[in-house]
Amino acid sequence: MTTPHPMLAVSDEVRDALETGAPVVALESTIISHGMPYPRNVAMAREVEQLVRDGGAIPATIAVLGGLPRVGLADDELEILASDPSVVKVSIRDLPYVVATGRHGATTVASTMRLAALAGIRVFVTGGLGGVHRGAESSMDISADLTELSQTSVAVVSAGVKSILDIGRTLEVLETLGVPVIGFGTDEFPSFFSRSSGVAVPMRADTVEEVAATMRAKWALGLSGAVCVANPVPVEDEIPVAEMAATIERALADADAAGVVGKDITPYLLGRIVELTDGASLETNIALVRHNARVGTALAMAYAAQVVPAGSLDAR
């Protein structure tokens, strides 16, 4: 049984699941508000929640609405996130301010992880992780996602880091931070739109049971922080990495010319890539989120099903 943090508004459905030890899957909201155009974004959010239910778990989309961190959203609340232009992008640094000022906020990977952990949720599904941006050796632009992965004990299922980033340096930072990166059914780290990146994963698992056992072992050893599950986009939905390279370079150049920096850079680049690929990247983005939802739900089921000897592993 898990008692959520008192500052969270947890839906009755999610609370009941947590109290009974039923599997729950956390879902972020930045992908809704800042990752896809309306109305595809709200349709995707509803579809992903249904995929989680179909897999036997309870979905818990996380956001801040009216200054209140919410875990588990109603249908009309998803609509607000998808269509209200006042919704701001909320990472860890922004969370106290958005709560204090009573604003609507869509949570990033980092802030969704933290709120999920406060609620007692152990599995989180997203599209792609943030990481080390290209040119970070001079800009110091490194996503707060990486720091959060080192601190917050949630398994994160993604299609790798976004291919607009420096993947090699991102994995080096994750190694320094002690974050296990597991390729799910792959020896190569995926690059969001593509199954390959040219960079090997440090470890591999071929079943969700293996991943669940790794989660329990990590936290039983007193090693706080995430388990990063890199789940490649399905073959039939990927855009080959060589094909994406030129598009990404063009989008990066356009962002530089437009002076886009900071937390605005990722939404800008993803939107520009959609334009440059005539919508193909959006379809791939939706496909990989669906795939991650299925794998994440199976992982939550496996984690909940594993028997925990008294006093040896965290039973939450």
Side-chain angles (χ1 to χ4, degrees):
M1 175 178 173
T2 299
T3 302
H5 191 280
M7 284 192 69
L8 303 181
V10 181
S11 71
D12 290 343
E13 179 184 39
V14 173
R15 186 179 295 274
D16 289 346
L18 292 171
E19 288 178 350
T20 60
V24 179
V25 175
L27 302 167
E28 64 154 296
S29 47
T30 290
I31 195 171
I32 304 171
S33 297
H34 299 89
M36 295 181 187
Y38 183 82
R40 291 297 298 278
N41 52 2
V42 70
M44 179 275 304
R46 289 169 178 152
E47 180 186 3
V48 169
E49 287 202 344
Q50 190 58 51
L51 285 172
V52 173
R53 294 184 195 283
D54 292 345
I58 299 300
T61 301
I62 294 176
V64 180
L65 293 174
L68 184 63
R70 301 188 63 89
V71 180
L73 302 182
D75 197 60
D76 60 328
E77 292 166 336
L78 290 176
E79 186 72 30
I80 290 171
L81 288 169
S83 61
D84 190 331
S86 72
V87 177
V88 297
K89 183 179 177 182
V90 179
S91 188
I92 287 293
R93 70 165 187 183
D94 313 297
L95 196 53
Y97 178 76
V98 172
V99 169
T101 55
R103 300 187 180 195
H104 294 332
T107 52
T108 64
V109 167
S111 52
T112 304
M113 282 181 67
R114 184 70 64 91
L115 294 174
L118 289 175
I121 300 170
R122 287 297 205 183
V123 176
F124 164 44
V125 164
T126 185
L129 301 176
V132 179
H133 282 257
R134 301 185 191 194
E137 61 272 19
S138 57
S139 70
M140 295 300 292
D141 192 350
I142 301 173
S143 172
D145 293 356
L146 302 187
T147 305
E148 197 64 26
L149 285 162
S150 73
Q151 298 176 342
T152 299
S153 300
V154 175
V156 183
V157 180
S158 75
V161 300
K162 297 178 178 72
S163 47
I164 55 178
L165 305 175
D166 188 321
I167 292 173
R169 285 191 170 96
T170 297
L171 288 175
E172 290 290 350
V173 171
L174 287 172
E175 179 185 6
T176 300
L177 295 174
V179 178
V181 177
I182 301 175
F184 190 69
T186 182
D187 295 314
E188 189 171 355
F189 192 78
S191 57
F192 195 65
F193 297 116
S194 310
R195 293 178 60 83
S196 61
S197 66
V199 182
V201 287
M203 54 200 79
R204 172 177 176 151
D206 292 305
T207 69
V208 290
E209 287 76 18
E210 290 176 79
V211 179
T214 302
M215 293 160 59
R216 290 202 181 278
K218 174 180 169 68
W219 300 327
L221 289 166
L223 301 174
S224 60
V227 173
C228 178
V229 184
N231 181 44
V233 63
V235 174
E236 63 272 19
D237 297 305
E238 79 162 330
I239 301 175
V241 66
E243 186 178 326
M244 280 303 302
T247 300
I248 290 169
E249 290 300 328
R250 170 72 184 278
L252 287 165
D254 291 346
D256 186 57
V260 182
V261 296
K263 68 180 183 179
D264 296 326
I265 188 71
T266 297
Y268 173 88
L269 289 172
L270 291 177
R272 185 68 182 122
I273 289 168
V274 170
E275 294 172 353
L276 293 171
T277 61
D278 293 324
S281 66
L282 176 59
E283 299 307 318
T284 296
N285 196 347
I286 292 171
L288 66 85
V289 172
R290 289 188 190 113
H291 188 47
N292 291 344
R294 293 186 181 99
V295 170
T297 301
L299 177 58
M301 297 285 287
Y303 183 78
Q306 289 186 3
V307 177
V308 185
S312 65
L313 293 176
D314 185 344
R316 287 184 295 176

